[in-house]
Amino acid sequence: MRDLALIGGTCLLLLVVVNTFVARPFAVPSASMENTLRPGDRVVANELAYAFGGHVQRGDVVVFDGTGSFLPYAAEPTAGQKMLDRLGLDPGSDTVFVKRVIGVGGDRVTCCGSDGRLRVNGVPIDESAYLAAGDAPSKVAFDVVVPAGKLWVMGDHRSDSRDSRDHLGEPGGGFVPESRVIGRADWVVFPFDRWTSLDRPEAFAATGGTGGHGHPR
C-alpha cells in the first residue's frame, strides 16, 4: 500500500508539474473558432511556447484568461478550483477564451479596405485558409493601434464570435494583455478523428518586419 501511495503521489505530482509549466488541456466552449475548432474539441495549450523571451506571434491561436479585458475582474478562484485546473480536470472556466491573434504590440489593424480584406500595418491578409465559409473578415469597421504588451484577437467564425471588436468602447479597448495568455493552442487532441496541429497561417508571413514583434517562425 505504501508503494502504491508513493506511485500515485508521484504521478499526481508529475501531472501537476506538466499542467502548470508545460502543457494544459482545454475544452473549446463555443463555435467562435469554427471551422478551425469546434465546440467540444480538446486542445493542448503549449505553456512553453512564449517562455524564455518568446512573444506571441500574429496568426497564433492562443488560450487566454479574459479577466480584465473581455470580462470584469472576477473573484480569485478557490484552492480547489486551482488544483482541478492544474490537473486539467476543471470542466471549463467562464474566464478562459480561445482566439486567433491578429495584431501584436505596435501593430495597426484595420478593417475593411476597398477589397474587403483586413489589414495589418497596411498589408492585406488573405484569411481564406481559416475564415469560416461565408463569413466576411468583419461587419464591424475598426482602425486600432495595439498598445505595447497587448494583443488584438478575433475568432475565425467572425459572425459568431465575441472578440476584441465587441469591447472597443470598454476600458482596455478590447486588447488582451500578453501576460494573460496561458499558452499557444498547438494541437487538437480530441475527438480522435479531429487530431491535428494548429499551424500559423502563411498569410501572416507577409506582415513580418512591418511593426510590433510578430515575426514569422
Side-chain angles (χ1 to χ4, degrees), residues 13-93:
L13 178 61
L14 287 173
L15 186 59
V16 171
V17 170
V18 169
N19 277 277
T20 301
F21 300 108
V22 182
R24 203 186 309 180
F26 288 93
V28 177
S30 72
S32 69
M33 282 293 292
E34 286 182 330
N35 282 326
T36 304
L37 300 173
R38 298 174 184 171
D41 282 355
R42 295 295 196 275
V43 299
V44 172
N46 178 359
E47 298 176 278
L48 296 179
Y50 309 121
F52 312 111
H55 289 285
V56 180
Q57 307 277 310
R58 306 178 191 112
D60 287 352
V61 176
V62 295
V63 178
F64 64 93
D65 183 352
T67 303
S69 56
F70 281 26
L71 299 167
Y73 281 98
E76 185 72 11
T78 66
Q81 289 172 324
K82 288 181 178 179
M83 177 60 71
L84 287 174
D85 178 57
R86 292 305 181 196
L87 293 174
L89 300 176
D90 191 349
S93 169

Side-chain angles (χ1 to χ4, degrees), residues 56-173:
V56 180
Q57 307 277 310
R58 306 178 191 112
D60 287 352
V61 176
V62 295
V63 178
F64 64 93
D65 183 352
T67 303
S69 56
F70 281 26
L71 299 167
Y73 281 98
E76 185 72 11
T78 66
Q81 289 172 324
K82 288 181 178 179
M83 177 60 71
L84 287 174
D85 178 57
R86 292 305 181 196
L87 293 174
L89 300 176
D90 191 349
S93 169
D94 292 338
T95 70
V96 175
F97 296 82
V98 183
K99 303 290 181 186
R100 188 178 300 278
V101 176
I102 303 299
V104 298
D107 285 345
R108 182 183 181 187
V109 186
T110 60
C111 196
C112 292
S114 57
D115 57 0
R117 289 187 181 184
L118 179 150
R119 281 174 162 73
V120 177
N121 301 322
V123 178
I125 307 298
D126 179 4
E127 300 190 278
S128 58
Y130 57 83
L131 203 64
D135 268 9
S138 179
K139 291 185 178 180
V140 177
F142 59 86
D143 185 342
V144 299
V145 176
V146 186
K150 302 291 183 68
L151 306 169
W152 179 267
V153 299
M154 300 172 73
D156 290 354
H157 193 176
R158 299 286 160 77
S159 62
D160 195 18
S161 174
R162 293 207 66 195
D163 48 43
S164 289
R165 298 168 297 169
D166 294 276
H167 303 278
L168 279 166
E170 300 174 8

